[in-house]
Amino acid sequence: MTVSKTSAVAIALATAPGIPTVFTTGFISRIGAAAEQRNHFYMTGSMGLALSLGTGIAMSSHRATLVVDGDGSLLMNPVGLIMAGAVQDLPLIQLVLDDGVYDSTGGQFSPGRSVDMPAWAQACGFSRIHTVDSEEGLEQTLRLELEDLAAPVFLHCLVTSDTTSPPPRVTDHLEGITARFSEFLQPQT
Protein backbone atom coordinates (compact mmCIF):
# COMPACT_ATOMS: atom_id res chain seq x y z
CA MET A 1 0.00 0.00 0.00
CA THR A 2 1.36 3.33 -0.99
CA VAL A 3 -1.42 5.75 -0.12
CA SER A 4 -2.15 7.32 3.26
CA LYS A 5 -5.64 8.18 4.44
CA THR A 6 -4.95 11.92 4.12
CA SER A 7 -3.52 11.49 0.62
CA ALA A 8 -6.55 9.42 -0.44
CA VAL A 9 -8.94 12.16 0.73
CA ALA A 10 -6.87 14.81 -1.07
CA ILE A 11 -6.89 12.77 -4.29
CA ALA A 12 -10.64 12.21 -4.07
CA LEU A 13 -11.31 15.91 -3.57
CA ALA A 14 -8.97 16.96 -6.39
CA THR A 15 -10.46 14.39 -8.76
CA ALA A 16 -14.11 15.05 -7.89
CA PRO A 17 -14.35 18.78 -7.18
CA GLY A 18 -17.72 20.43 -6.95
CA ILE A 19 -19.86 17.32 -6.47
CA PRO A 20 -21.81 16.60 -3.27
CA THR A 21 -19.36 14.82 -0.97
CA VAL A 22 -20.31 13.16 2.32
CA PHE A 23 -17.57 12.26 4.79
CA THR A 24 -17.99 9.61 7.45
CA THR A 25 -17.36 10.51 11.07
CA GLY A 26 -13.95 10.45 12.74
CA PHE A 27 -10.58 11.17 11.17
CA ILE A 28 -11.95 11.04 7.62
CA SER A 29 -14.44 13.79 8.44
CA ARG A 30 -11.71 15.81 10.12
CA ILE A 31 -9.42 15.46 7.11
CA GLY A 32 -12.22 16.49 4.76
CA ALA A 33 -13.16 19.48 6.92
CA ALA A 34 -9.60 20.79 6.68
CA ALA A 35 -10.36 21.43 2.99
CA GLU A 36 -13.84 22.77 3.79
CA GLN A 37 -15.98 23.45 0.74
CA ARG A 38 -19.67 24.24 0.34
CA ASN A 39 -20.23 20.84 -1.32
CA HIS A 40 -18.93 18.92 1.74
CA PHE A 41 -21.01 17.39 4.52
CA TYR A 42 -19.40 15.88 7.63
CA MET A 43 -21.15 13.07 9.53
CA THR A 44 -20.08 14.12 13.01
CA GLY A 45 -21.14 11.52 15.57
CA SER A 46 -23.09 9.32 13.14
CA MET A 47 -20.85 6.37 12.41
CA GLY A 48 -22.18 4.10 9.70
CA LEU A 49 -24.64 6.53 8.13
CA ALA A 50 -22.61 8.36 5.48
CA LEU A 51 -23.66 5.97 2.70
CA SER A 52 -27.33 6.23 3.64
CA LEU A 53 -27.16 10.03 3.47
CA GLY A 54 -25.19 9.95 0.21
CA THR A 55 -27.71 7.56 -1.33
CA GLY A 56 -30.56 9.91 -0.46
CA ILE A 57 -28.68 12.86 -1.93
CA ALA A 58 -27.91 11.04 -5.19
CA MET A 59 -31.49 9.75 -5.47
CA SER A 60 -33.17 13.09 -4.86
CA SER A 61 -30.74 15.33 -6.76
CA HIS A 62 -29.80 12.94 -9.61
CA ARG A 63 -26.29 14.36 -9.24
CA ALA A 64 -23.05 12.44 -9.02
CA THR A 65 -22.37 12.02 -5.30
CA LEU A 66 -19.22 10.88 -3.51
CA VAL A 67 -19.27 9.18 -0.12
CA VAL A 68 -15.89 8.99 1.61
CA ASP A 69 -16.27 6.22 4.17
CA GLY A 70 -14.07 4.09 6.38
CA ASP A 71 -13.85 0.36 6.91
CA GLY A 72 -15.06 0.66 10.52
CA SER A 73 -18.00 2.78 9.49
CA LEU A 74 -19.09 0.37 6.78
CA LEU A 75 -18.77 -2.54 9.22
CA MET A 76 -20.91 -0.60 11.71
CA ASN A 77 -23.82 -0.33 9.28
CA PRO A 78 -23.61 -2.29 6.02
CA VAL A 79 -27.32 -1.76 5.30
CA GLY A 80 -26.37 1.27 3.21
CA LEU A 81 -24.90 -1.14 0.66
CA ILE A 82 -28.27 -2.83 0.27
CA MET A 83 -30.07 0.45 -0.30
CA ALA A 84 -27.50 1.88 -2.74
CA GLY A 85 -27.09 -1.38 -4.65
CA ALA A 86 -30.84 -1.66 -5.16
CA VAL A 87 -30.94 1.52 -7.26
CA GLN A 88 -29.24 0.44 -10.46
CA ASP A 89 -29.03 3.94 -11.98
CA LEU A 90 -27.77 5.65 -8.81
CA PRO A 91 -24.99 8.18 -9.60
CA LEU A 92 -22.94 7.44 -6.48
CA ILE A 93 -19.40 6.43 -5.65
CA GLN A 94 -18.88 4.73 -2.29
CA LEU A 95 -15.17 5.22 -1.55
CA VAL A 96 -14.14 3.07 1.42
CA LEU A 97 -10.75 3.95 2.90
CA ASP A 98 -9.63 0.74 4.59
CA ASP A 99 -6.71 0.97 6.99
CA GLY A 100 -7.83 -2.02 9.06
CA VAL A 101 -8.19 -0.04 12.28
CA TYR A 102 -10.58 2.18 14.17
CA ASP A 103 -8.16 5.07 13.86
CA SER A 104 -10.29 7.70 15.58
CA THR A 105 -10.71 5.74 18.80
CA GLY A 106 -7.15 4.65 19.37
CA GLY A 107 -6.13 2.41 16.49
CA GLN A 108 -7.82 -0.81 17.55
CA PHE A 109 -7.90 -3.38 14.78
CA SER A 110 -11.15 -3.59 12.86
CA PRO A 111 -12.38 -6.90 11.48
CA GLY A 112 -12.44 -5.30 8.03
CA ARG A 113 -9.47 -7.17 6.63
CA SER A 114 -11.21 -10.47 7.38
CA VAL A 115 -14.36 -9.35 5.53
CA ASP A 116 -14.58 -9.19 1.76
CA MET A 117 -16.26 -5.79 1.50
CA PRO A 118 -16.17 -5.74 -2.33
CA ALA A 119 -18.03 -9.08 -2.31
CA TRP A 120 -20.61 -7.53 0.05
CA ALA A 121 -21.09 -4.68 -2.42
CA GLN A 122 -21.47 -7.11 -5.31
CA ALA A 123 -24.00 -9.21 -3.38
CA CYS A 124 -25.97 -6.02 -2.67
CA GLY A 125 -26.25 -5.12 -6.35
CA PHE A 126 -23.21 -2.96 -7.10
CA SER A 127 -22.04 -3.96 -10.58
CA ARG A 128 -19.02 -1.65 -10.70
CA ILE A 129 -16.48 -2.60 -8.04
CA HIS A 130 -12.81 -1.72 -7.76
CA THR A 131 -9.99 -2.26 -5.28
CA VAL A 132 -6.97 0.05 -5.40
CA ASP A 133 -3.90 0.44 -3.22
CA SER A 134 -2.01 3.34 -4.78
CA GLU A 135 -2.44 7.05 -5.41
CA GLU A 136 -2.35 6.47 -9.17
CA GLY A 137 -4.92 3.68 -9.00
CA LEU A 138 -7.28 5.77 -6.90
CA GLU A 139 -7.05 8.81 -9.16
CA GLN A 140 -7.40 6.83 -12.40
CA THR A 141 -10.36 4.83 -11.13
CA LEU A 142 -12.19 7.91 -9.85
CA ARG A 143 -11.60 9.77 -13.12
CA LEU A 144 -12.83 6.84 -15.18
CA GLU A 145 -15.97 6.33 -13.10
CA LEU A 146 -16.84 10.03 -12.96
CA GLU A 147 -16.79 10.28 -16.77
CA ASP A 148 -20.10 8.43 -16.98
CA LEU A 149 -21.44 7.77 -13.49
CA ALA A 150 -24.70 6.01 -14.25
CA ALA A 151 -24.67 3.23 -11.63
CA PRO A 152 -23.50 2.84 -8.04
CA VAL A 153 -19.75 2.29 -7.76
CA PHE A 154 -17.95 0.63 -4.85
CA LEU A 155 -14.32 1.71 -4.62
CA HIS A 156 -12.30 -0.09 -1.95
CA CYS A 157 -9.06 1.76 -1.30
CA LEU A 158 -6.46 0.09 0.90
CA VAL A 159 -4.71 2.86 2.82
CA THR A 160 -2.17 3.27 5.57
CA SER A 161 -2.99 5.16 8.73
CA ASP A 162 -1.53 8.63 8.88
CA THR A 163 1.59 9.14 10.95
CA THR A 164 0.73 12.74 11.78
CA SER A 165 -2.06 13.97 14.02
CA PRO A 166 -5.36 14.63 12.26
CA PRO A 167 -6.85 18.10 11.94
CA PRO A 168 -9.09 19.27 14.80
CA ARG A 169 -12.55 17.82 15.38
CA VAL A 170 -15.50 19.19 13.43
CA THR A 171 -17.41 20.77 16.30
CA ASP A 172 -17.96 24.41 15.38
CA HIS A 173 -20.72 25.75 13.20
CA LEU A 174 -22.45 22.41 12.53
CA GLU A 175 -25.72 24.20 11.80
CA GLY A 176 -23.89 26.50 9.39
CA ILE A 177 -22.25 23.55 7.63
CA THR A 178 -25.67 21.91 7.24
CA ALA A 179 -27.26 25.12 5.93
CA ARG A 180 -24.40 25.71 3.48
CA PHE A 181 -24.58 22.14 2.18
CA SER A 182 -28.38 22.29 1.84
CA GLU A 183 -28.07 25.52 -0.12
CA PHE A 184 -25.46 23.89 -2.37
CA LEU A 185 -27.91 21.06 -3.15
CA GLN A 186 -30.71 23.40 -4.22
CA PRO A 187 -31.48 23.21 -7.95
CA GLN A 188 -30.02 26.08 -9.92
CA THR A 189 -32.63 28.07 -11.83
Side-chain angles (χ1 to χ4, degrees):
M1 287 177 280
T2 59
V3 61
S4 71
K5 190 180 297 179
T6 295
S7 293
V9 171
I11 290 166
L13 296 182
T15 308
I19 70 171
T21 303
V22 178
F23 296 88
T24 190
T25 192
F27 283 6
I28 292 172
S29 191
R30 293 164 69 173
I31 295 164
E36 187 171 328
Q37 299 290 322
R38 58 189 295 264
N39 60 305
H40 293 177
F41 187 82
Y42 317 105
M43 295 294 297
T44 59
S46 298
M47 187 172 179
L49 295 175
L51 181 54
S52 296
L53 179 64
T55 298
I57 291 166
M59 286 178 70
S60 65
S61 71
H62 307 288
R63 293 167 68 177
T65 302
L66 174 64
V67 175
V68 185
D69 217 343
D71 55 313
S73 183
L74 180 59
L75 292 167
M76 172 73 76
N77 189 8
V79 73
L81 291 174
I82 297 168
M83 300 306 296
V87 184
Q88 291 303 301
D89 62 348
L90 187 68
L92 177 130
I93 296 177
Q94 162 75 349
L95 170 58
V96 177
L97 305 181
D98 183 357
D99 61 2
V101 298
Y102 294 104
D103 214 8
S104 299
T105 61
Q108 305 89 344
F109 288 105
S110 82
R113 296 290 167 97
S114 63
V115 173
D116 189 345
M117 288 184 266
W120 277 8
Q122 184 175 22
C124 290
F126 283 72
S127 60
R128 296 160 62 177
I129 299 163
H130 308 275
T131 298
V132 297
D133 64 359
S134 69
E135 293 181 0
E136 298 79 18
L138 176 58
E139 182 180 359
Q140 289 173 0
T141 304
L142 279 171
R143 281 196 195 288
L144 176 69
E145 289 296 351
L146 285 166
E147 285 178 11
D148 182 31
L149 186 57
V153 172
F154 185 85
L155 179 48
H156 185 223
C157 183
L158 302 174
V159 298
T160 58
S161 294
D162 291 314
T163 57
T164 58
S165 296
R169 293 182 184 278
V170 182
T171 57
D172 293 335
H173 313 294
L174 296 178
E175 292 168 349
I177 291 168
T178 300
R180 181 194 69 219
F181 186 71
S182 296
E183 181 180 314
F184 169 79
L185 290 176
Q186 295 302 312
Q188 303 299 316
T189 56

